[in-house]
Amino acid sequence: MKALVVYGSTRGGTAGLAEMIAESFHRHGWTAEVRPARVDGPVAPADIAIVGGALYNGRWHPDARAFVRSHRADLRLRPVWLFSSGPLDDSARRGDIAAVAQVQRIAADLEARGHMTFGGRLEPNARGLLARMMARRMAGDWRDATHVEEWVNEICRAMAPPVITLPEQRDRRVIDVRDAAEQEAASAQQR
């Protein structure tokens, strides 16, 4: 199986999560391609697509949104999972954080099979006025490789072919229908 992992990231934290996701798929014996959402390329031949974006002010990264818009038809042809990156604390790990409204609409449109919010990362030396102000009190890395691994395990289980267990056969005789018909005819003649 092949997974395409596409991400929108400004400061590299979500790119790192995308790499963790791909590595987890590799441990399950899958192939996985990781691609920034701004790099145009086909969705096919991937069996599934994972699309993620960093959250900024409650909005998904614009590159992730643009990727979904331009590849909507192809994404709707395969199973899709979405992820968001952003909380600068351990709240994502403590429990399922619902997707923001914008991502919920995208998930509904794509009929996505699921969404996960992962902790984000903010470097202490972040550039930009708002990022610098936030970094003074919130710098750190809350991405959790175990959380990522658990999520990919769920996806792999969902994509695994069903296991069919047949009941044990007690009578292994092979009956030829022609023989049965001949025996029935012979029995009718004797009557």
Side-chain angles (χ1 to χ4, degrees):
M1 297 281 290
K2 180 176 182 179
L4 173 63
V5 184
V6 177
Y7 65 89
S9 182
T10 299
R11 297 184 183 350
T14 307
L17 278 168
E19 290 293 339
M20 286 182 207
I21 290 167
E23 290 167 11
S24 184
F25 275 114
H26 289 144
R27 284 189 290 278
H28 284 277
W30 290 46
T31 58
E33 176 187 350
V34 179
R35 182 187 322 149
R38 71 179 175 280
V39 174
D40 194 31
V43 174
D47 298 300
I48 70 169
I50 311 292
V51 183
L55 292 172
Y56 297 101
N57 295 321
R59 296 183 56 84
W60 219 29
H61 195 281
D63 291 349
R65 294 191 320 257
F67 178 85
V68 168
R69 270 193 310 277
S70 56
H71 294 283
R72 181 180 181 270
D74 284 339
L75 290 169
R76 291 179 56 99
L77 295 175
R78 61 194 32 81
V80 173
W81 278 264
L82 305 175
F83 74 94
S84 299
S85 153
L88 297 175
D89 57 26
D90 64 353
S91 61
R93 186 61 175 123
R94 286 186 304 217
D96 245 355
I97 295 178
V100 297
Q102 181 184 56
V103 176
Q104 288 177 15
R105 287 189 299 275
I106 292 168
D109 181 56
L110 295 177
E111 298 179 13
R113 299 234 185 142
H115 171 271
M116 182 59 67
T117 299
F118 295 108
R121 181 193 79 184
L122 183 60
E123 297 290 337
N125 59 350
R127 293 188 321 210
L129 179 63
L130 181 59
R132 274 196 319 272
M133 288 174 25
M134 288 175 63
R136 286 184 193 139
R137 54 189 173 80
M138 303 170 80
D141 191 347
W142 287 272
R143 297 172 301 170
D144 184 335
T146 302
H147 192 193
V148 169
E149 186 72 30
E150 291 167 356
W151 188 59
V152 172
N153 286 343
E154 289 177 24
I155 294 170
C156 290
R157 274 195 305 276
M159 292 302 298
V163 176
I164 300 172
T165 306
L166 299 175
E168 211 174 297
Q169 291 182 343
R170 293 185 182 168
D171 186 358
R172 296 186 186 267
R173 290 180 297 158
V174 177
I175 299 173
D176 188 328
V177 176
R178 291 171 299 187
D179 291 343
E182 288 174 12
Q183 289 174 359
E184 182 70 29
S187 175
Q189 286 177 351
Q190 290 176 353
R191 289 184 233 161

